[in-house]
Amino acid sequence: MTAGKSADSPFSSPSMIDPFGRAVTYLRVSVTDRCDFRCVYCMAEDMTFLPKREVLSLEELDRLCTAFIEKGVRKLRLTGGEPLVRKNIMSLIRSLGRHIETGALEELTVTTNGSQLAKLAGELYDSGVRRINVSLDTLDEQRFKAITRWGDLGKVLEGMQAAREAGLQLKINMVALKGVNEHEIIPMMEWAHDQGYDLTLIETMPLGEIDGDRTDQYLPLSLVRSRLAERFTLDDIPYKTGGPARYMQVKETGGRMGFITPMTHNFCESCNRVRVTCTGQLYMCLGQDDMADLRAPLRASEGNELLHAAIDEAIGRKPKGHDFVIDRRTKQPAVSRHMSVTGG
Ligand code: SAM
Ligand code: SF4
Protein backbone atom coordinates (compact mmCIF):
# COMPACT_ATOMS: atom_id res chain seq x y z
CA MET A 1 0.00 0.00 0.00
CA THR A 2 1.39 3.40 -0.91
CA ALA A 3 0.96 6.47 1.25
CA GLY A 4 -1.73 7.72 -1.07
CA LYS A 5 -3.80 4.59 -1.51
CA SER A 6 -6.17 3.11 0.99
CA ALA A 7 -6.59 -0.63 0.50
CA ASP A 8 -10.33 -0.44 1.01
CA SER A 9 -11.12 2.49 -1.25
CA PRO A 10 -11.79 1.08 -4.69
CA PHE A 11 -13.76 4.11 -5.87
CA SER A 12 -11.19 6.85 -5.86
CA SER A 13 -7.48 6.99 -5.31
CA PRO A 14 -6.60 9.81 -2.93
CA SER A 15 -5.12 12.66 -4.88
CA MET A 16 -4.49 14.89 -1.90
CA ILE A 17 -1.06 13.98 -0.60
CA ASP A 18 0.63 16.53 1.64
CA PRO A 19 4.36 17.38 1.66
CA PHE A 20 4.93 14.78 4.40
CA GLY A 21 3.37 11.96 2.35
CA ARG A 22 0.15 11.87 4.36
CA ALA A 23 -3.01 11.22 2.33
CA VAL A 24 -5.87 13.53 3.22
CA THR A 25 -8.98 11.34 3.33
CA TYR A 26 -10.96 12.90 6.15
CA LEU A 27 -12.80 16.21 5.96
CA ARG A 28 -14.53 17.97 8.80
CA VAL A 29 -16.91 20.70 7.83
CA SER A 30 -18.31 23.26 10.19
CA VAL A 31 -21.74 24.01 8.78
CA THR A 32 -22.50 26.86 11.16
CA ASP A 33 -20.71 28.84 13.86
CA ARG A 34 -23.96 29.17 15.84
CA CYS A 35 -25.00 27.02 18.73
CA ASP A 36 -27.83 26.61 21.21
CA PHE A 37 -25.30 25.97 24.04
CA ARG A 38 -22.46 28.12 25.37
CA CYS A 39 -20.00 25.58 26.77
CA VAL A 40 -17.50 27.30 29.03
CA TYR A 41 -14.39 25.87 27.32
CA CYS A 42 -15.72 26.57 23.83
CA MET A 43 -17.48 29.92 23.76
CA ALA A 44 -17.81 33.12 25.67
CA GLU A 45 -21.40 33.62 26.82
CA ASP A 46 -21.71 36.75 24.78
CA MET A 47 -20.53 35.56 21.34
CA THR A 48 -20.68 37.55 18.15
CA PHE A 49 -21.60 35.30 15.25
CA LEU A 50 -20.81 35.74 11.60
CA PRO A 51 -23.15 37.71 9.37
CA LYS A 52 -25.24 35.20 7.39
CA ARG A 53 -24.03 36.45 3.98
CA GLU A 54 -20.50 35.31 4.85
CA VAL A 55 -21.65 31.78 5.55
CA LEU A 56 -21.78 29.28 2.68
CA SER A 57 -25.25 28.29 1.56
CA LEU A 58 -26.30 24.66 1.90
CA GLU A 59 -25.88 24.28 -1.88
CA GLU A 60 -22.35 25.70 -1.68
CA LEU A 61 -21.50 23.37 1.19
CA ASP A 62 -22.76 20.44 -0.89
CA ARG A 63 -20.60 21.49 -3.85
CA LEU A 64 -17.57 21.94 -1.64
CA CYS A 65 -17.95 18.57 0.09
CA THR A 66 -18.50 16.87 -3.25
CA ALA A 67 -15.32 18.43 -4.65
CA PHE A 68 -13.35 17.00 -1.71
CA ILE A 69 -14.95 13.59 -2.20
CA GLU A 70 -13.88 13.71 -5.86
CA LYS A 71 -10.38 14.38 -4.60
CA GLY A 72 -10.28 11.33 -2.34
CA VAL A 73 -12.09 12.20 0.88
CA ARG A 74 -13.64 9.00 2.22
CA LYS A 75 -14.92 10.19 5.55
CA LEU A 76 -16.93 13.34 6.08
CA ARG A 77 -17.89 14.75 9.46
CA LEU A 78 -20.31 17.65 9.85
CA THR A 79 -19.74 19.75 12.90
CA GLY A 80 -20.01 23.36 14.05
CA GLY A 81 -21.15 25.24 16.15
CA GLU A 82 -24.09 22.93 16.50
CA PRO A 83 -24.62 21.41 13.05
CA LEU A 84 -28.17 20.27 13.76
CA VAL A 85 -29.44 23.78 14.58
CA ARG A 86 -28.68 25.06 11.09
CA LYS A 87 -31.93 25.69 9.23
CA ASN A 88 -32.72 22.91 6.73
CA ILE A 89 -29.55 21.03 7.63
CA MET A 90 -31.28 17.74 6.85
CA SER A 91 -31.55 18.72 3.18
CA LEU A 92 -27.73 18.94 3.04
CA ILE A 93 -27.27 15.68 4.94
CA ARG A 94 -29.77 13.86 2.75
CA SER A 95 -28.07 15.18 -0.35
CA LEU A 96 -24.60 14.15 0.86
CA GLY A 97 -26.03 10.71 1.58
CA ARG A 98 -25.97 10.08 -2.19
CA HIS A 99 -22.19 9.65 -1.93
CA ILE A 100 -22.69 6.88 0.61
CA GLU A 101 -25.12 5.18 -1.75
CA THR A 102 -22.67 5.28 -4.65
CA GLY A 103 -19.86 4.10 -2.39
CA ALA A 104 -17.75 7.21 -3.10
CA LEU A 105 -17.89 8.02 0.60
CA GLU A 106 -17.29 5.42 3.30
CA GLU A 107 -18.71 7.37 6.17
CA LEU A 108 -20.93 10.38 6.71
CA THR A 109 -21.06 11.43 10.32
CA VAL A 110 -21.98 14.25 12.67
CA THR A 111 -20.64 15.69 15.91
CA THR A 112 -23.49 17.10 17.95
CA ASN A 113 -24.41 18.32 21.40
CA GLY A 114 -27.47 16.08 21.15
CA SER A 115 -30.09 18.77 21.69
CA GLN A 116 -31.89 18.09 18.37
CA LEU A 117 -31.47 14.33 18.20
CA ALA A 118 -34.90 13.41 19.54
CA LYS A 119 -36.28 15.14 16.45
CA LEU A 120 -33.69 14.23 13.83
CA ALA A 121 -32.22 10.81 14.70
CA GLY A 122 -34.50 8.85 12.35
CA GLU A 123 -33.83 11.17 9.42
CA LEU A 124 -30.08 10.98 10.03
CA TYR A 125 -30.21 7.22 9.81
CA ASP A 126 -32.34 7.35 6.67
CA SER A 127 -29.78 9.69 5.06
CA GLY A 128 -26.98 7.15 5.45
CA VAL A 129 -25.49 8.29 8.77
CA ARG A 130 -24.58 5.27 10.91
CA ARG A 131 -22.39 6.64 13.70
CA ILE A 132 -22.51 9.96 15.51
CA ASN A 133 -20.45 11.63 18.21
CA VAL A 134 -22.38 13.22 21.04
CA SER A 135 -20.59 15.62 23.36
CA LEU A 136 -21.51 15.02 26.97
CA ASP A 137 -19.30 16.08 29.85
CA THR A 138 -21.43 15.13 32.84
CA LEU A 139 -24.52 13.21 33.93
CA ASP A 140 -25.27 15.68 36.70
CA GLU A 141 -28.03 18.08 35.74
CA GLN A 142 -26.67 21.09 37.60
CA ARG A 143 -23.14 20.55 36.42
CA PHE A 144 -24.45 20.15 32.88
CA LYS A 145 -26.06 23.57 33.19
CA ALA A 146 -22.88 25.02 34.65
CA ILE A 147 -20.73 23.67 31.79
CA THR A 148 -23.07 24.27 28.84
CA ARG A 149 -24.71 27.38 30.35
CA TRP A 150 -27.84 26.97 28.14
CA GLY A 151 -28.20 23.20 27.74
CA ASP A 152 -30.82 20.80 29.09
CA LEU A 153 -29.44 17.39 30.10
CA GLY A 154 -32.83 15.66 29.96
CA LYS A 155 -33.27 16.65 26.32
CA VAL A 156 -29.80 15.38 25.41
CA LEU A 157 -30.35 12.03 27.11
CA GLU A 158 -33.71 11.71 25.39
CA GLY A 159 -32.01 12.47 22.07
CA MET A 160 -29.35 9.84 22.66
CA GLN A 161 -32.01 7.27 23.39
CA ALA A 162 -33.83 8.22 20.17
CA ALA A 163 -30.56 7.90 18.25
CA ARG A 164 -29.96 4.46 19.64
CA GLU A 165 -33.47 3.38 18.79
CA ALA A 166 -33.02 4.71 15.25
CA GLY A 167 -30.05 2.37 14.84
CA LEU A 168 -27.23 4.91 15.15
CA GLN A 169 -24.02 3.91 16.89
CA LEU A 170 -23.03 6.51 19.47
CA LYS A 171 -19.69 7.65 20.75
CA ILE A 172 -19.55 10.07 23.64
CA ASN A 173 -16.96 12.82 23.71
CA MET A 174 -16.21 14.12 27.17
CA VAL A 175 -13.90 17.08 27.70
CA ALA A 176 -11.92 16.35 30.87
CA LEU A 177 -11.99 19.43 33.08
CA LYS A 178 -9.87 19.68 36.18
CA GLY A 179 -11.94 20.01 39.36
CA VAL A 180 -15.18 20.11 37.33
CA ASN A 181 -15.95 16.64 36.01
CA GLU A 182 -12.77 14.67 36.68
CA HIS A 183 -14.46 12.67 39.47
CA GLU A 184 -17.18 11.69 37.00
CA ILE A 185 -14.85 9.99 34.52
CA ILE A 186 -15.23 6.53 36.04
CA PRO A 187 -19.02 6.71 36.55
CA MET A 188 -19.41 8.12 33.02
CA MET A 189 -17.31 5.30 31.61
CA GLU A 190 -19.32 2.67 33.46
CA TRP A 191 -22.60 4.22 32.37
CA ALA A 192 -21.50 4.62 28.73
CA HIS A 193 -20.18 1.08 28.45
CA ASP A 194 -23.32 -0.26 30.06
CA GLN A 195 -25.37 1.52 27.36
CA GLY A 196 -23.08 0.21 24.62
CA TYR A 197 -21.43 3.59 23.87
CA ASP A 198 -17.71 4.18 23.49
CA LEU A 199 -16.40 7.04 25.62
CA THR A 200 -13.62 9.32 24.42
CA LEU A 201 -11.92 11.80 26.70
CA ILE A 202 -10.58 15.03 25.24
CA GLU A 203 -8.04 17.41 26.71
CA THR A 204 -9.01 21.08 26.57
CA MET A 205 -7.28 22.85 23.72
CA PRO A 206 -6.28 26.50 23.74
CA LEU A 207 -8.61 27.70 20.98
CA GLY A 208 -10.15 31.15 21.08
CA GLU A 209 -10.71 33.58 23.90
CA ILE A 210 -13.13 32.34 26.55
CA ASP A 211 -14.32 33.95 29.78
CA GLY A 212 -12.13 31.93 32.17
CA ASP A 213 -8.51 30.87 32.57
CA ARG A 214 -7.62 27.67 30.71
CA THR A 215 -4.84 26.63 33.07
CA ASP A 216 -7.62 26.10 35.62
CA GLN A 217 -9.39 23.63 33.31
CA TYR A 218 -6.52 21.65 31.89
CA LEU A 219 -6.34 18.04 33.05
CA PRO A 220 -3.60 15.94 31.42
CA LEU A 221 -5.05 12.63 30.28
CA SER A 222 -1.81 10.82 31.08
CA LEU A 223 -2.79 11.40 34.72
CA VAL A 224 -6.35 10.19 34.13
CA ARG A 225 -5.06 7.07 32.48
CA SER A 226 -2.78 6.16 35.36
CA ARG A 227 -5.63 6.74 37.83
CA LEU A 228 -7.90 4.49 35.76
CA ALA A 229 -5.23 1.81 35.61
CA GLU A 230 -5.32 1.57 39.42
CA ARG A 231 -8.89 0.21 39.23
CA PHE A 232 -9.29 -1.23 35.75
CA THR A 233 -7.41 -3.48 33.37
CA LEU A 234 -6.64 -1.37 30.31
CA ASP A 235 -5.39 -2.92 27.08
CA ASP A 236 -4.17 -0.70 24.25
CA ILE A 237 -5.94 -1.75 21.07
CA PRO A 238 -5.33 -0.77 17.45
CA TYR A 239 -9.02 0.19 16.97
CA LYS A 240 -9.32 3.34 14.82
CA THR A 241 -12.24 5.49 13.75
CA GLY A 242 -10.24 7.64 11.35
CA GLY A 243 -9.79 10.36 13.98
CA PRO A 244 -6.97 11.13 16.41
CA ALA A 245 -8.23 9.05 19.37
CA ARG A 246 -6.16 6.16 20.73
CA TYR A 247 -8.28 3.39 22.21
CA MET A 248 -8.09 0.98 25.09
CA GLN A 249 -10.28 -1.96 25.89
CA VAL A 250 -11.49 -1.94 29.49
CA LYS A 251 -11.64 -5.52 30.66
CA GLU A 252 -14.05 -5.04 33.55
CA THR A 253 -16.72 -3.14 31.55
CA GLY A 254 -16.11 -4.79 28.17
CA GLY A 255 -16.20 -1.33 26.55
CA ARG A 256 -13.79 0.92 24.70
CA MET A 257 -12.27 4.09 26.04
CA GLY A 258 -10.62 6.62 23.72
CA PHE A 259 -8.12 9.36 24.51
CA ILE A 260 -7.60 12.48 22.44
CA THR A 261 -4.45 14.03 23.78
CA PRO A 262 -3.31 16.95 21.69
CA MET A 263 -1.45 18.37 24.68
CA THR A 264 0.30 15.34 26.17
CA HIS A 265 0.74 13.26 23.05
CA ASN A 266 1.46 14.61 19.64
CA PHE A 267 -0.92 12.94 17.21
CA CYS A 268 0.17 14.81 14.12
CA GLU A 269 2.35 12.16 12.41
CA SER A 270 -0.66 10.22 11.21
CA CYS A 271 -2.89 13.23 10.51
CA ASN A 272 -5.22 12.55 7.58
CA ARG A 273 -7.58 15.47 8.19
CA VAL A 274 -8.39 18.95 7.04
CA ARG A 275 -11.17 21.26 8.15
CA VAL A 276 -13.41 23.72 6.38
CA THR A 277 -15.23 26.50 8.20
CA CYS A 278 -18.76 27.56 7.41
CA THR A 279 -17.33 30.51 5.46
CA GLY A 280 -15.29 28.20 3.24
CA GLN A 281 -11.89 28.65 4.83
CA LEU A 282 -9.77 25.53 4.61
CA TYR A 283 -7.59 24.92 7.66
CA MET A 284 -4.88 22.37 7.03
CA CYS A 285 -4.20 22.07 10.79
CA LEU A 286 -6.49 22.71 13.77
CA GLY A 287 -3.60 24.20 15.70
CA GLN A 288 -2.19 26.61 13.10
CA ASP A 289 -3.48 29.87 11.66
CA ASP A 290 -2.56 29.17 8.03
CA MET A 291 -5.61 28.69 5.83
CA ALA A 292 -6.85 28.94 2.27
CA ASP A 293 -10.01 30.69 1.19
CA LEU A 294 -12.20 28.36 -0.87
CA ARG A 295 -15.24 30.61 -0.95
CA ALA A 296 -13.84 32.93 -3.63
CA PRO A 297 -12.95 30.12 -6.09
CA LEU A 298 -16.27 28.42 -5.26
CA ARG A 299 -18.25 31.55 -6.07
CA ALA A 300 -16.08 32.64 -9.02
CA SER A 301 -17.49 30.10 -11.47
CA GLU A 302 -19.94 27.28 -11.76
CA GLY A 303 -17.28 24.76 -12.69
CA ASN A 304 -14.95 23.30 -10.08
CA GLU A 305 -11.58 23.88 -11.74
CA LEU A 306 -10.62 26.91 -9.65
CA LEU A 307 -11.81 25.16 -6.52
CA HIS A 308 -9.78 22.02 -7.21
CA ALA A 309 -6.69 24.14 -7.90
CA ALA A 310 -7.13 26.07 -4.63
CA ILE A 311 -7.50 22.81 -2.70
CA ASP A 312 -4.35 21.33 -4.29
CA GLU A 313 -2.35 24.44 -3.54
CA ALA A 314 -3.49 24.41 0.11
CA ILE A 315 -2.78 20.71 0.67
CA GLY A 316 0.73 21.45 -0.56
CA ARG A 317 1.13 23.70 2.50
CA LYS A 318 -0.26 21.32 5.15
CA PRO A 319 2.11 21.75 8.10
CA LYS A 320 3.82 18.95 9.95
CA GLY A 321 1.90 19.58 13.17
CA HIS A 322 0.65 21.96 15.82
CA ASP A 323 2.37 23.55 18.82
CA PHE A 324 -0.30 23.76 21.48
CA VAL A 325 0.91 24.85 24.90
CA ILE A 326 -1.09 25.64 28.01
CA ASP A 327 0.90 26.99 30.89
CA ARG A 328 0.79 29.89 33.28
CA ARG A 329 3.06 32.03 31.11
CA THR A 330 1.18 31.32 27.84
CA LYS A 331 -2.25 32.62 28.72
CA GLN A 332 -3.03 33.57 25.13
CA PRO A 333 -4.82 30.92 23.09
CA ALA A 334 -2.47 29.14 20.65
CA VAL A 335 -4.82 30.09 17.86
CA SER A 336 -7.29 32.91 18.00
CA ARG A 337 -10.34 31.20 16.48
CA HIS A 338 -12.79 29.24 18.59
CA MET A 339 -13.35 25.51 18.18
CA SER A 340 -16.88 26.37 17.07
CA VAL A 341 -15.42 28.20 14.05
CA THR A 342 -13.08 25.48 12.81
CA GLY A 343 -15.25 22.62 14.07
CA GLY A 344 -14.15 20.05 16.61
N1 SAM B 1 -21.68 21.43 18.96
C1 SAM B 1 -21.18 20.16 18.65
C2 SAM B 1 -20.72 19.43 19.91
O1 SAM B 1 -20.61 20.06 20.96
O2 SAM B 1 -20.49 18.23 19.79
C3 SAM B 1 -20.07 20.15 17.62
C4 SAM B 1 -19.02 21.22 17.70
S1 SAM B 1 -18.00 21.19 19.14
C5 SAM B 1 -16.94 22.56 18.83
C6 SAM B 1 -17.02 19.76 18.86
C7 SAM B 1 -16.26 19.21 20.03
O3 SAM B 1 -15.27 20.12 20.39
C8 SAM B 1 -17.10 18.95 21.27
O4 SAM B 1 -16.90 17.60 21.69
C9 SAM B 1 -16.53 19.89 22.29
O5 SAM B 1 -16.60 19.35 23.57
C10 SAM B 1 -15.13 20.07 21.80
N2 SAM B 1 -14.47 21.33 22.21
C11 SAM B 1 -14.91 22.59 22.10
N3 SAM B 1 -13.99 23.47 22.55
C12 SAM B 1 -12.94 22.74 22.96
C13 SAM B 1 -11.68 23.06 23.53
N4 SAM B 1 -11.29 24.31 23.76
N5 SAM B 1 -10.84 22.03 23.83
C14 SAM B 1 -11.20 20.72 23.60
N6 SAM B 1 -12.37 20.38 23.05
C15 SAM B 1 -13.24 21.36 22.75
FE1 SF4 C 1 -21.85 24.54 21.21
FE2 SF4 C 1 -20.47 22.30 20.85
FE3 SF4 C 1 -19.21 24.58 21.50
FE4 SF4 C 1 -20.73 23.42 23.30
S1 SF4 C 1 -18.87 22.56 22.38
S2 SF4 C 1 -20.74 25.62 22.78
S3 SF4 C 1 -22.31 22.55 22.09
S4 SF4 C 1 -20.29 24.20 19.64
Side-chain angles (χ1 to χ4, degrees), residues 28 30 32 34-37 39-43 78-84 110-114 133-137 172-177 200 202-208 210 214 217 262 286 326 338-344:
R28 294 191 180 207
S30 175
T32 177
R34 287 158 203 257
C35 187
D36 52 342
F37 291 6
C39 301
V40 289
Y41 46 75
C42 180
M43 292 192 184
L78 304 183
T79 177
E82 174 47 41
L84 301 183
V110 176
T111 298
T112 173
N113 64 23
N133 287 0
V134 179
S135 305
L136 181 66
D137 302 326
I172 299 176
N173 283 343
M174 173 181 187
V175 176
L177 300 162
T200 294
I202 307 177
E203 284 174 344
T204 49
M205 290 174 244
L207 301 174
I210 53 169
R214 283 183 201 279
Q217 300 177 341
L286 179 63
I326 294 183
H338 289 90
M339 186 74 123
S340 53
V341 172
T342 334

Side-chain angles (χ1 to χ4, degrees), residues 200-240:
T200 294
L201 297 177
I202 307 177
E203 284 174 344
T204 49
M205 290 174 244
L207 301 174
E209 295 284 353
I210 53 169
D211 296 329
D213 177 354
R214 283 183 201 279
T215 43
D216 292 341
Q217 300 177 341
Y218 175 57
L219 175 65
L221 293 186
S222 46
L223 181 66
V224 173
R225 190 192 159 125
S226 50
R227 281 190 203 150
L228 272 176
E230 288 168 13
R231 286 191 42 192
F232 296 92
T233 318
L234 312 173
D235 289 319
D236 287 313
I237 50 170
Y239 178 73
K240 278 270 157 215

Side-chain angles (χ1 to χ4, degrees), residues 13 33 40 91 107 128 131 180 224 250 253 330 343:
S13 42
D33 63 332
V40 289
S91 67
E107 187 168 39
R131 293 193 310 144
V180 177
V224 173
V250 184
T253 62
T330 320

